[in-house]
Amino acid sequence: MPVPTERKAQLLSGNEACVQGAIAAGVRFFAGYPITPSTEIAEGLAVELPKIGGKFIQMEDEIASMGAVIGASLAGLKSMTATSGPGFSLKQENIGFAALTEIPCVIVNVQRYGPSTGLPTSPAQGDIMQARWGTHGDHPAIALMPASVREAFDLTVQAVNLSEELRTPVILLMDEVVGHMRERVELPATDEITVVNRVKPTEDPEHFLPYKPGPNLVPPMPAFGDGYRFHVTGLVHNETGFPSGKGKDGNILVRRLLAKIEQRQPSIAQAELYQADDADIVIVAAGSVARSARAAVKEARAQGLKLGLVRPITAWPFPAEAINSVATTAKAMIVAEMNLGQMIIEVERAACGRVPVIGLNRIDAELITPQDIIARAQEVTKNVR
Amino acid sequence: MKKLELRLSGFGGQGLITAGIILAEAAILDGNNAVQSQSYGPEARGGASKAEVIISNEEIDYPKVGEADLCLAMSQQACDKYAAQTRPNGILVVDSGLVKNIPEFPGRIYAVPITEIATSEVGRGIVANIVALGVINGITNIVTKESLETAVLDRVPPKTKDLNKKALKAGYQAAQKVLQREGE
């Protein structure tokens, strides 16, 4: 196995850890088109996949690579792609196709400064809403935001597992800072990693209905070539998988797509709370910004200012419960993000007006610093007293 | 040990990011925590390049370097920009062949012809980054000599191990020289 069975301290980048996580989770197909700051993931998998019988293919563009990923997943392989803003935009149509047709796949988006080509090598967190609503129509969304190299590994494994279990595209929403920074990390041993595989049908192929949901609302999925005949279409379909052209089938199908995530939501939505219980001001920050926030909490507390941190690990489903848990104890919340206010919308929604919610936003291509956060917290302290 | 923050700056192609990685790996071999990050322009060579390394025996949260304890400047542009972002009681190491005008700096300044040593003494300009690591560690002892050598040899192509060992040694010798001069 490529993943060492013994823990060993090493220096890895978030992108390198993502490669290791993909291999450990059982990803055996990658198609992509290189783009900064995600390229190291493609490079890493181009080296690692062939060694273990996997396939790597560099496609002509991002649209085609998303198509190849969907095709490979239908053929039975756990499949993944990696990109950044401009490529993420191009992949949206096929992400919607994968959502409607229930094809497991993982899309890594190492966020960079946008819109458009923007600042290719600079960090941002401007794709939080795109990860939810980038493709058209009502659809489920799962997006995970690692804040460390170890978490880049763990959440890659989790992204693959969730996509397999729920037959849905899952987005690993990194940012340039986490993707490119290297830090000391001990990866888990092989036997410490849980790997989930898609459920396959067991019934007689003669009577197989490809979109008949199982008890968890997820239809079992055969691979092409397993002996089950099925049809895959982006048109609204019924349990037979064939286009039906009927609104009532769309009503059943799209509601089920959302429900299969919603019924799992309490265990999918995750957040980390750090010194949040007794905090006067709670910082809400995800990804690399959460590291700055953690440093700010430590430094501010040493100065007598009681800060705390809620760090959403899943951007989607948004961990509203974690916000709820501090909305009545904190005097104010500061949402720090490298965009002009995306996650704050969800925080406000969860806080329901019980606590003032203030934004701290930077879009000058620099990571928000602990000092930025402390300065804003001091300002807010004056105003809420 | 307390937290140490280093900034290695210059232009793309000088191997500064590799140097940063090697230093961080040496710190890990010593049993410490390390974070390495970088910024660079879209072009691979010629644009501004900077690697940052934080070494600590505690958890490292904020991964970037604000005011550095040590700054290596391997271009005039980098020196002009980053000398001011170094702690007043910190250390500024400049490649004296590339940095002609050293800005006002209240801390310790060491001017070493790093690239020239790589070219003439070691024989290959490409190992200037390893010479620089020898210079930095010779002055500061941030990491143990054993760990640094192991980290260098683990990262470089097998055929260039001797060359890189020589480069590291030349760096240590140059550090000795400037320290002696300082003592006089």
Side-chain angles (χ1 to χ4, degrees):
Chain A
M1 284 297 289
V3 173
T5 50
E6 261 175 55
R7 282 162 171 273
K8 184 183 128 226
Q10 52 184 329
L11 186 78
L12 285 184
S13 70
N15 284 346
E16 288 166 339
C18 175
V19 168
Q20 296 295 323
I23 299 287
V27 168
R28 292 297 177 267
F29 182 88
F30 179 99
Y33 188 81
I35 180 168
T36 302
S38 76
T39 305
E40 296 81 9
I41 298 172
E43 286 173 345
L45 285 166
V47 172
E48 296 301 328
L49 281 173
K51 289 185 196 166
I52 50 172
K55 295 276 182 289
F56 170 92
I57 183 163
Q58 179 172 323
M59 297 295 287
E60 69 268 35
D61 62 29
E62 285 89 347
I63 300 173
S65 45
M66 195 61 222
V69 162
I70 289 168
S73 185
L74 274 167
L77 293 181
K78 292 186 183 179
S79 302
M80 187 173 113
T81 188
T83 189
S84 186
F88 194 48
S89 293
L90 287 169
K91 289 178 196 288
Q92 292 300 333
E93 183 187 3
N94 273 335
I95 291 173
F97 180 86
L100 187 86
T101 55
E102 300 177 72
I103 313 295
C105 54
V106 171
I107 302 95
V108 182
N109 174 14
V110 188
Q111 295 172 90
R112 72 185 213 187
Y113 195 104
S116 191
T117 324
L119 293 167
T121 61
S122 297
Q125 296 176 316
D127 306 349
I128 290 177
M129 283 296 166
Q130 192 187 19
R132 179 66 192 87
W133 295 115
T135 197
H136 63 275
D138 284 307
H139 58 275
I142 300 175
L144 313 170
M145 291 182 82
S148 67
V149 170
R150 171 62 198 256
E151 208 170 47
F153 177 94
D154 292 340
L155 295 185
T156 301
V157 173
Q158 207 177 336
V160 176
N161 285 349
L162 286 168
S163 79
E164 291 289 315
E165 176 195 335
L166 296 166
R167 282 191 66 174
T168 194
V170 175
I171 291 152
L172 185 77
L173 197 58
M174 286 214 271
D175 59 61
E176 187 274 341
V177 176
V178 174
H180 276 164
M181 66 174 271
R182 294 178 178 85
E183 70 181 334
R184 181 186 188 277
V185 65
E186 283 178 28
L187 296 182
T190 314
D191 59 6
E192 292 174 275
I193 301 165
T194 306
V195 173
V196 176
N197 299 311
R198 64 189 70 167
V199 171
K200 291 200 168 199
T202 49
E203 68 256 52
D204 161 22
E206 285 292 310
H207 303 101
F208 175 60
L209 285 172
Y211 284 94
K212 186 180 174 192
N216 60 349
L217 304 182
V218 182
M221 182 179 175
F224 274 2
D226 277 354
Y228 290 87
R229 283 188 294 181
F230 63 106
H231 182 256
V232 180
T233 175
L235 288 165
V236 160
H237 44 269
N238 54 26
E239 291 184 352
T240 66
F242 288 104
S244 82
K246 288 182 185 139
K248 78 171 172 52
D249 288 328
N251 190 42
I252 294 167
L253 173 59
V254 176
R255 283 182 189 278
R256 179 175 61 77
L257 295 182
L258 269 73
K260 72 179 176 180
I261 309 298
E262 272 159 21
Q263 70 168 15
R264 270 283 267 119
Q265 177 150 340
S267 51
I268 301 175
Q270 299 166 70
E272 181 198 17
L273 273 68
Y274 177 68
Q275 309 232 15
D277 295 353
D278 67 337
D280 289 329
I281 296 173
V282 168
I283 314 299
V284 185
S288 59
V289 179
R291 302 179 70 106
S292 308
R294 204 178 165 90
V297 169
K298 288 177 187 170
E299 209 174 312
R301 281 192 177 250
Q303 296 167 18
L305 181 60
K306 276 182 171 172
L307 295 192
L309 169 66
V310 172
R311 176 174 74 89
I313 296 169
T314 46
W316 308 108
F318 186 75
E321 198 43 54
I323 302 297
N324 266 333
S325 71
V326 291
T328 51
T329 53
K331 292 183 182 131
M333 283 191 188
I334 296 173
V335 184
E337 46 187 336
M338 286 190 286
N339 58 48
L340 288 181
Q342 298 193 14
M343 196 167 63
I344 194 172
I345 299 167
E346 291 304 308
V347 176
E348 281 170 342
R349 205 142 74 136
C352 282
R354 286 170 290 174
V355 56
V357 178
I358 298 122
L360 167 52
N361 311 89
R362 269 185 90 158
I363 56 157
D364 61 348
E366 296 290 339
L367 175 60
I368 292 172
T369 66
Q371 288 69 38
D372 292 336
I373 293 169
I374 292 171
R376 179 59 55 88
Q378 283 165 340
E379 209 177 286
V380 169
T381 309
K382 273 184 219 151
N383 296 335
V384 294
R385 262 176 195 158
Chain B
M1 77 177 276
K2 67 174 186 113
K3 191 161 95 171
L4 274 167
E5 306 190 33
L6 299 95
R7 180 175 283 121
L8 315 178
S9 61
F11 46 80
Q14 285 179 320
L16 294 165
I17 292 171
T18 304
I21 293 171
I22 290 171
L23 202 55
E25 284 181 335
I28 290 172
L29 288 173
D30 283 343
N32 284 310
N33 267 327
V35 168
Q36 181 272 335
S37 66
Q38 61 221 351
S39 73
Y40 52 89
E43 54 294 87
R45 279 180 202 181
S49 172
K50 150 184 96 149
E52 295 176 346
V53 182
I54 304 174
I55 299 172
S56 173
N57 57 0
E58 290 178 3
E59 207 177 17
I60 300 166
D61 297 313
Y62 180 63
K64 301 279 179 179
V65 171
E67 278 203 320
D69 297 296
L70 181 145
C71 175
L72 167 73
M74 290 193 45
S75 76
Q76 185 66 50
Q77 190 197 9
C79 193
D80 293 345
K81 189 169 176 188
Y82 296 118
Q85 293 177 40
T86 309
R87 285 184 209 284
N89 60 348
I91 297 171
L92 179 64
V93 179
V94 302
D95 185 328
S96 54
L98 299 167
V99 179
K100 296 299 178 192
N101 303 306
I102 301 174
E104 288 258 327
F105 178 70
R108 285 147 69 193
I109 300 173
Y110 299 99
V112 182
I114 294 168
T115 305
E116 200 192 304
I117 291 172
T119 315
S120 53
E121 278 183 41
V122 188
R124 292 280 306 276
I126 200 167
V127 294
N129 59 341
I130 306 300
V131 174
L133 283 178
V135 171
I136 291 170
N137 206 37
I139 293 169
T140 60
N141 291 311
I142 302 165
V143 291
T144 61
K145 277 193 161 185
E146 298 72 33
S147 294
L148 185 57
E149 186 174 310
T150 307
V152 167
L153 298 183
D154 279 354
R155 270 281 162 184
V156 301
K159 283 181 186 166
T160 67
K161 284 191 178 185
D162 287 341
L163 180 72
N164 280 287
K165 258 190 190 172
K166 205 173 151 191
L168 194 59
K169 200 174 158 198
Y172 279 126
Q173 279 166 353
Q176 279 306 315
K177 255 188 231 168
V178 288
L179 288 174
Q180 264 166 23
R181 224 179 294 150
E182 191 185 35
E184 280 161 11

